[in-house]
Amino acid sequence: MQEGMIERSHPFRQNGISLISQLQQIQQEHGWLPEPELRRLSAATGEPLIEIYRVATFYKSFSLAPRGRHRVTACCGTACHVRGSAGVTREISKLLGVKPGGTSADGRYSLETVNCLGACALAPLVVVDGEYHGNITPAGTRKLLKKITGPEAGNGAAAER
Amino acid sequence: MEALQARLKTPADLERYRAAIKAKQETITHRLSVCGGTGCAGGGSARIRDYLQDYLARRGLSARVALRFTGCLGLCERGPLVIVSPGEIFYQKVTAADAAEIVDQTVLKGELVERLLYTDPLNGEKYVSANEIPFLKKQSRFLLGDNWRLDPASIEDYLGLGGYAVLAGCLDGLNGAEIIARLKASRLRGRGGAGFPTGIKWAEGREAPGDQKYIICNADEGDPGAFMDRSLMEGNPHSVLEGLIIGGYAIGAGEGIVFVRAEYPTAVKNIRLAIARAEEVGLLGEDILGSGFDFRVSVSVGAGAFVSGETSALIRAVEGQVGEPRQKPPHLAQQGLWKKPTVVNNVETLANVPLILRLGTESYSGIGTASSKGTKIFSLVGKVNNTGLVEVPLGMTLREIIDDIGGGIKGGKRFKAVQTGGPSGGCLPASLLDLPTDYEALSEAGSMMGSGGMIVMDEETCMVDLARYFLAFLKEESCGACFSCREGIARMLEMVEAITRGESSPGQLELLEELAAVVKEASMCGLGQTASNPVLSTLRYFREEYLAHLVDRRCPAGVCRDLISFRIEAGICNGCGACRKSCPAGAVEGKKKEPHRIAAALCTRCGICLETCRYGAVLKE
């Protein structure tokens, strides 16, 4: 490793705020990381844009695309998995017409999977717009999503972005 | 509690303040502790708290009844939980509608609300006091036991229970070397996974040359199915902070950092609040309690990467970089954060520190086994009756934890395996249920202690699918720096996926074992070195299940979708049509009141028909 590469660690902390924290602030403000903001950050900190993207793409919580107005999060931790979260996620994906990690073309729904929310007693667990719903079964997904899909209860109608 | 006028300047100030807190607490006649842990909060416990608060105010009881929104109380399965003291009356499955009755009956009249009491699923007995419930009674809750006694937002609650007395004692009477000697004598081992002796780690940090040193609390709990650290941070953040300050003092660090996952917003909030309150009263900052020791703590919020729990990767993440591990040496004790000597300890490890110094090393090392001392918190989850957090002496057998505390397997099913150690651990079969939870015993059996996840599985869990699950997880989380880990996990995943589809051959198992050994040998960090464990342990103990997939093209647990099919038993089906209406694929056909059929070509094997049928006419084969 070149000496210069090791020495790079310090500039990451501009005014005592790490690059990660700065990206978290941008994400908190916009809900995702828009490119113009990242360019601005690069100009302000002197950090090459590619380094900023390297960090932004490494961590799971950063999103490089806007997320849907309704956010559905399916927990796929081990406890949820052994209680059938894979089937639940599959049904939600079909109903919303969105693959895990994706957002519908109309920007209505995002479906995310997470590794564990630590509420294993409620497994399998699905979070819809911040609200926890426990013990969800494949058959229960349609009813669960009615709140955000409306009565038409999509059958994968919305095309993926 | 009246706000403190000035910073505490001496240990005597602290004791005076503590006495004032205790005097004030004597005016309280009853306490209501509403569990705010993730499980209970997910079940709506915040509303219960609001209703109780409202109702207490309306009844004019706010001054003498203390209401707390606490950290995890343990028995998540029966949440939301409320404990009423005196009497430690344990109410479970509480709803907001029960709030008024709890106040009127129990607080005012001293009568029980019978329907909210806990009934044991095994012996059918009803229990009143939290201390009598088998789930809690059989534990040794040294670390979690105070959760219901304190509001995590209140430093006064922690002080009222004797908090920070150990810190004061250390600053007043012990030097760093003496503290480390006691820690070594206690034989505390790291609770984050590897089980390295904490005293030795601290000694290395203390002996490392340099006047600027750091101590980091690793709260980047990434194992799926594990939430011990989260519950400590949420429920008793000051106990972790006290351990961190003592650690800073012992190794000579001026700054501490708590690295916590963004996925744990309540933990982030509570630890931040704890730090702010400790600064206000003078337990953090300059010249703590007049000792001349200066120490500050900041919080660094992670952005979500499992590999960042590895200590060298964690340090990079704290620095704001990509959280990838690096080659060691140089060890972190020599070159850590900002290239300064750094000690990284797990949350539970730090919470053990004040406990050890309070109990004394002799009493502490009386708990546990010869090589594994103290208690360990496990998150007991999966197909077990009592899902929850369990704190037991190290060495308790898996059987005691799963059967006696966990209440056995859900729905009367048969135990199949227990997975410990998260994605780095392994699956242990029924024949090993009498194995003690000891660092060495678990490793020898092909699993590991890990951070304390304990996932119980029954006959409906497919072990091949589980190996696939962990490989998929690790493939996603591998940073990709080592070829063996990046490519090895991906290829193992392909091979296991082919097995779950029934598109493999028996010779593949040997190839899988060979590849697993290479990944273990050739990877740099703990993630790669242990990535093969889920595959190897399932191959070791459940080989016949792999063979059923390979040879018979059959998934005995009925999980792998390509190897199962659904059928309606004409003799049982009464043609009610429920499955037809619920089938999202439109694969069920049949006239009303006549037996239905499933069109195999259309069926996606989602299992909704099986779930919907009330007559047991749908069969999975």
Side-chain angles (χ1 to χ4, degrees):
Chain A
M1 193 185 278
Q2 293 163 19
E3 193 53 26
M5 287 178 75
I6 301 172
E7 290 306 323
R8 272 279 259 305
S9 56
H10 268 88
F12 273 93
R13 202 183 221 199
Q14 291 288 330
N15 313 318
I17 305 169
S18 81
L19 179 54
I20 292 176
S21 317
Q22 300 188 44
L23 291 174
Q24 281 168 337
Q25 279 168 18
I26 295 173
Q27 173 137 321
Q28 191 157 23
E29 201 177 310
H30 298 269
W32 62 295
L33 299 176
E35 189 184 322
E37 290 293 325
L38 299 186
R39 289 186 179 278
R40 248 195 296 280
L41 181 65
S42 170
T45 58
E47 198 59 53
L49 192 61
I50 193 168
E51 282 299 328
I52 292 177
Y53 268 92
R54 189 164 168 251
V55 172
T57 52
F58 181 80
Y59 292 103
K60 240 195 186 133
S61 66
F62 295 127
S63 174
L64 290 167
R67 287 190 260 210
R69 290 193 295 284
H70 294 293
R71 286 172 64 179
V72 179
T73 306
C75 183
C76 295
T78 321
C80 285
H81 180 77
V82 302
R83 291 199 197 174
S85 66
V88 169
T89 310
R90 215 157 25 228
E91 285 314 305
I92 294 176
S93 173
K94 271 196 266 176
L95 287 170
L96 296 179
V98 181
K99 284 202 195 91
T103 300
S104 62
D106 59 4
R108 273 186 81 156
Y109 316 116
S110 288
L111 173 59
E112 288 160 34
T113 55
V114 289
N115 286 336
C116 185
L117 290 166
C120 308
L122 304 174
L125 177 71
V126 178
V127 185
V128 180
D129 290 338
E131 206 175 308
Y132 283 47
H133 300 272
N135 302 306
I136 301 297
T137 60
T141 52
R142 188 177 295 255
K143 193 176 155 216
L144 169 73
L145 296 177
K146 267 219 170 106
K147 234 189 284 180
I148 56 169
T149 56
E152 81 270 31
N155 276 312
E160 187 136 0
R161 187 191 294 275
Chain B
M1 190 65 227
E2 274 170 53
L4 192 68
Q5 294 305 311
R7 276 170 61 94
L8 304 166
K9 290 202 180 68
T10 64
D13 282 355
L14 175 67
E15 290 318 313
R16 267 193 295 278
Y17 188 42
R18 194 192 311 283
I21 290 166
K22 284 187 170 166
K24 173 91 182 178
Q25 284 176 345
E26 272 165 25
T27 60
I28 303 286
T29 61
H30 289 78
R31 294 179 190 283
L32 298 173
S33 302
V34 180
C35 181
T38 324
C40 289
S45 65
R47 265 186 76 208
I48 299 171
R49 173 203 53 193
D50 294 345
Y51 274 54
L52 282 170
Q53 194 164 33
D54 231 45
Y55 195 71
L56 288 171
R58 269 200 282 152
R59 294 295 236 149
L61 295 168
S62 303
R64 68 176 179 94
V65 180
L67 178 66
R68 290 195 181 106
F69 198 50
T70 71
C72 182
L73 297 177
L75 190 49
C76 308
E77 189 73 40
R78 299 303 188 97
L81 305 174
V82 174
I83 295 182
V84 186
S85 61
E88 287 159 34
I89 299 159
F90 188 88
Y91 287 143
Q92 45 98 57
K93 301 253 178 214
V94 179
T95 66
D98 300 319
E101 201 175 343
I102 291 175
V103 174
D104 288 339
Q105 290 295 316
T106 309
V107 174
L108 290 176
K109 291 193 206 148
E111 287 168 14
L112 297 172
V113 184
E114 290 280 339
R115 69 168 187 284
L116 298 177
L117 293 175
Y118 173 82
T119 307
D120 193 81
L122 292 184
N123 59 21
E125 245 178 83
K126 239 179 197 182
Y127 293 90
V128 175
S129 162
N131 301 323
E132 293 305 314
I133 292 172
F135 174 83
L136 293 167
K137 196 178 178 182
K138 289 178 181 158
Q139 299 186 37
S140 304
R141 293 167 75 87
F142 286 98
L143 301 173
L144 291 172
D146 281 339
N147 269 14
W148 72 274
R149 295 188 186 91
L150 47 86
D151 180 337
S154 163
I155 194 171
E156 286 77 15
D157 274 2
Y158 185 65
L159 289 170
L161 292 168
Y164 290 110
V166 171
L167 172 69
C170 287
L171 295 178
D172 203 25
L174 296 174
N175 63 33
E178 287 165 329
I179 295 171
I180 290 171
R182 290 188 191 189
L183 223 57
K184 277 185 180 168
S186 78
R187 297 169 62 196
L188 171 67
R189 297 171 68 172
R191 301 292 194 238
F196 190 79
T198 309
I200 296 178
K201 201 184 241 188
W202 282 18
E204 284 171 3
R206 180 175 169 82
E207 284 151 19
D211 25 310
Q212 205 178 353
K213 296 179 185 176
Y214 298 97
I215 180 163
I216 299 179
C217 167
N218 183 355
D220 192 38
E221 183 176 54
D223 281 11
F227 52 105
M228 303 76 46
D229 294 346
R230 162 193 212 139
S231 298
L232 278 171
M233 300 271 289
E234 288 183 357
N236 198 349
H238 283 287
S239 69
V240 181
L241 192 56
E242 186 174 3
L244 185 68
I245 303 171
I246 294 169
Y249 175 70
I251 67 166
E255 202 180 326
I257 291 133
V258 180
F259 184 74
V260 53
R261 321 167 68 193
E263 290 93 328
Y264 287 179
T266 309
V268 174
K269 191 182 98 195
N270 287 2
I271 193 73
R272 280 198 170 130
L273 199 58
I275 292 166
R277 289 296 289 133
E279 275 171 359
E280 276 167 32
V281 305
L283 292 164
L284 274 177
E286 274 172 32
D287 191 19
I288 298 171
L289 299 179
S291 63
F293 173 58
D294 305 337
F295 192 68
R296 292 183 192 286
V297 177
S298 56
V299 174
S300 177
V301 180
F306 177 70
V307 72
S308 295
E310 197 276 345
T311 48
S312 69
L314 179 144
I315 278 172
R316 288 189 164 165
V318 173
E319 289 173 347
Q321 305 184 59
V322 164
E324 287 174 356
R326 67 156 169 80
Q327 192 69 259
K328 288 181 261 188
H331 288 288
L332 303 180
Q334 280 84 43
Q335 264 190 48
L337 186 64
W338 312 119
K339 293 206 202 159
K340 305 286 183 198
T342 303
V343 164
V344 181
N345 288 127
N346 156 273
V347 171
E348 192 180 336
T349 313
L350 289 172
N352 265 288
V353 169
L355 175 72
I356 288 168
L357 297 171
R358 192 174 70 235
L359 289 179
T361 50
E362 220 161 284
S363 322
Y364 182 85
S365 56
I367 310 165
T369 66
S371 67
S372 306
K373 299 295 184 191
T375 62
K376 176 80 194 84
I377 308 176
F378 292 102
S379 75
L380 186 61
V381 300
K383 306 279 187 75
V384 65
N385 270 317
N386 298 329
T387 290
L389 278 191
V390 167
E391 182 182 349
V392 295
L394 278 164
M396 185 181 267
T397 65
L398 293 167
R399 188 187 301 281
E400 285 174 282
I401 296 174
I402 295 165
D403 284 352
D404 300 351
I405 296 174
I409 306 300
K410 250 187 181 341
K413 298 247 165 60
R414 212 158 44 88
F415 171 90
K416 182 167 181 179
V418 56
Q419 209 278 346
T420 70
S424 304
C427 295
L428 305 169
S431 60
L432 291 177
L433 271 174
D434 290 311
L435 200 71
T437 49
D438 170 285
Y439 286 92
E440 278 68 32
L442 287 170
S443 296
E444 278 160 28
S447 185
M448 66 184 283
M449 180 74 74
S451 61
M454 196 174 269
I455 295 113
V456 179
M457 289 164 263
D458 67 9
E459 53 205 286
E460 289 179 356
T461 309
C462 170
M463 304 314 283
V464 183
D465 175 70
L466 193 79
R468 185 202 56 76
Y469 166 81
F470 281 118
L471 286 170
F473 174 90
L474 290 162
K475 178 183 166 236
E476 199 60 31
E477 297 296 339
S478 166
C479 78
C482 302
F483 175 83
S484 54
C485 176
R486 183 183 71 235
E487 296 300 324
I489 293 174
R491 296 291 87 77
M492 285 198 285
L493 176 61
E494 279 175 12
M495 289 161 79
V496 173
E497 273 175 349
I499 297 171
T500 63
R501 286 196 305 267
E503 297 166 359
S504 194
S505 56
Q508 291 286 300
L509 295 187
E510 284 70 38
L511 192 59
L512 193 55
E513 276 168 326
E514 197 184 325
L515 182 53
V518 172
V519 173
K520 224 178 166 113
E521 283 296 311
S523 304
M524 181 179 72
C525 84
L527 189 148
Q529 286 164 6
T530 58
S532 307
N533 283 353
V535 172
L536 288 174
S537 65
T538 47
L539 272 172
R540 179 167 162 190
Y541 297 117
F542 300 95
R543 202 175 189 92
E544 73 287 359
E545 197 163 344
Y546 278 86
L547 290 172
H549 287 72
L550 286 168
V551 181
D552 309 336
R553 305 275 185 261
R554 196 171 60 82
C555 174
V559 172
C560 296
R561 284 199 307 152
D562 292 299
L563 304 179
I564 55 171
S565 61
F566 289 89
R567 181 171 70 78
I568 296 171
E569 180 63 53
I572 305 174
C573 177
N574 62 8
C576 76
C579 58
R580 182 166 36 83
K581 283 179 216 136
S582 70
C583 176
V588 183
E589 47 202 35
K591 290 194 183 114
K592 226 180 161 63
K593 297 190 176 166
E594 282 175 25
H596 284 36
R597 289 169 311 281
I598 295 172
L602 294 174
C603 177
T604 63
R605 294 173 290 268
C606 68
I608 288 180
C609 52
L610 176 72
E611 194 191 321
T612 311
C613 182
R614 288 185 288 136
Y615 307 98
V618 180
L619 306 176
K620 182 159 71 173
E621 300 179 324

